[in-house]
Amino acid sequence: AQSVTQLGSHVSVSEGALVLLRCNYSSSVPPYLFWYVQYPNQGLQLLLKYTSAATLVKGINGFEAEFKKSETSFHLTKPSAHMSDAAEYFCAVSHTGTASKLTFGTGTRLQVTL
Amino acid sequence: GAVVSQHPSWVICKSGTSVKIECRSLDFQATTMFWYRQFPKQSLMLMATSNEGSKATYEQGVEKDKFLINHASLTLSTLTVTSAHPEDSSFYICSATGDYGYTFGSGTRLTVV
């Protein structure tokens, strides 16, 4: 079985501040972990993914995430928030890179204020 | 990069009618298609998994006779909501996998009135 837990359904930061979105996973096998962003009434866009290579993964739009096995975490960070980062963010886990289903967390809505 | 075209982007239908949602992989072969449902301000819940030429595998609690999935080719999968009712109103998203990993469609907002 696999699952992810996203702590904080809503996070608010000021423009220019650090963004930290938390994700903890549970998996019986080495996991593949993903972060997606969703804008209203749109599909999901991949920010980054961990596939057992480097533990620090750099993604698009300045986001990065670090895989910490000891903490079973895969938190998403961005040094400086931009207004355009306001969206819903989902952490997801799968057993394989592509063939198995993705299990999503409950999502975190990021609000960016002036 | 990989693109999945999902149509329609939104649809309003009368209760009791059927609605078909299409997902087409434009530049790659989608060996597996996943169909998700998302309620407002909630996460994505997997409804079913389909492989080209095979019957779809439905998640527990999803009515296979109500949500018909066809994956007749490596580039096209369809979800038909049969005899739709207001409680079927939701956002439906497909995700195709192939050489590029998971690629999501843009979603379909279904409203049943």
Side-chain angles (χ1 to χ4, degrees):
Chain A
Q2 57 191 23
S3 66
V4 289
T5 302
Q6 290 184 244
L7 296 176
S9 60
H10 183 253
V11 170
S12 181
V13 300
S14 300
E15 189 174 35
L18 171 71
V19 175
L20 170 61
L21 304 183
R22 300 177 186 275
C23 174
N24 288 87
Y25 70 90
S26 174
S27 179
S28 56
V29 298
Y32 289 79
L33 294 160
F34 306 79
W35 273 102
Y36 287 91
V37 62
Q38 184 182 35
Y39 296 97
N41 291 311
Q42 293 187 28
L44 274 67
Q45 180 182 11
L46 179 67
L47 287 175
L48 48 83
K49 62 181 177 182
Y50 168 75
T51 57
S52 76
T55 56
L56 182 62
V57 182
K58 293 187 183 300
I60 62 171
N61 300 339
F63 285 95
E64 63 181 37
E66 186 172 8
F67 174 73
K68 292 185 177 180
K69 186 177 179 180
S70 60
E71 299 177 8
T72 62
S73 68
F74 191 58
H75 303 330
L76 181 71
T77 61
K78 181 174 180 177
S80 177
H82 192 273
M83 295 296 287
S84 60
D85 295 327
E88 189 83 20
Y89 291 80
F90 292 97
C91 182
V93 63
S94 76
H95 283 321
T96 71
T98 58
S100 61
K101 67 179 182 180
L102 282 168
T103 300
F104 287 89
T106 50
T108 297
R109 180 166 296 277
L110 176 65
Q111 181 182 16
V112 182
T113 59
L114 288 172
Chain B
V3 176
V4 171
S5 176
Q6 183 171 346
H7 291 282
S9 55
W10 61 271
V11 58
I12 301 173
C13 71
K14 290 185 177 181
S15 187
T17 62
S18 295
V19 173
K20 180 183 283 189
I21 301 169
E22 234 181 53
C23 275
R24 202 177 286 271
S25 57
L26 299 185
D27 47 8
F28 68 102
Q29 293 185 326
T31 51
T32 303
M33 189 73 77
F34 300 95
W35 286 93
Y36 294 87
R37 182 174 181 176
Q38 185 180 30
F39 290 104
K41 299 184 179 180
Q42 293 189 29
S43 188
L44 283 76
M45 300 301 296
L46 181 66
M47 299 175 65
T49 303
S50 71
N51 294 296
E52 183 263 341
S54 302
K55 287 186 177 180
T57 301
Y58 290 81
E59 295 296 302
Q60 191 172 9
V62 177
E63 298 176 61
K64 62 179 180 180
D65 294 329
K66 180 168 188 60
F67 299 99
L68 300 179
I69 291 172
N70 184 283
H71 194 167
S73 78
L74 285 172
T75 59
L76 176 64
S77 179
T78 60
L79 166 67
T80 302
V81 183
T82 63
S83 187
H85 290 284
E87 58 265 29
D88 299 324
S89 298
S90 190
F91 193 60
Y92 294 87
I93 306 176
C94 63
S95 173
T97 67
D99 293 340
Y100 298 99
Y102 301 93
T103 303
F104 286 83
S106 54
T108 298
R109 170 74 59 194
L110 170 63
T111 302
V112 185
V113 298

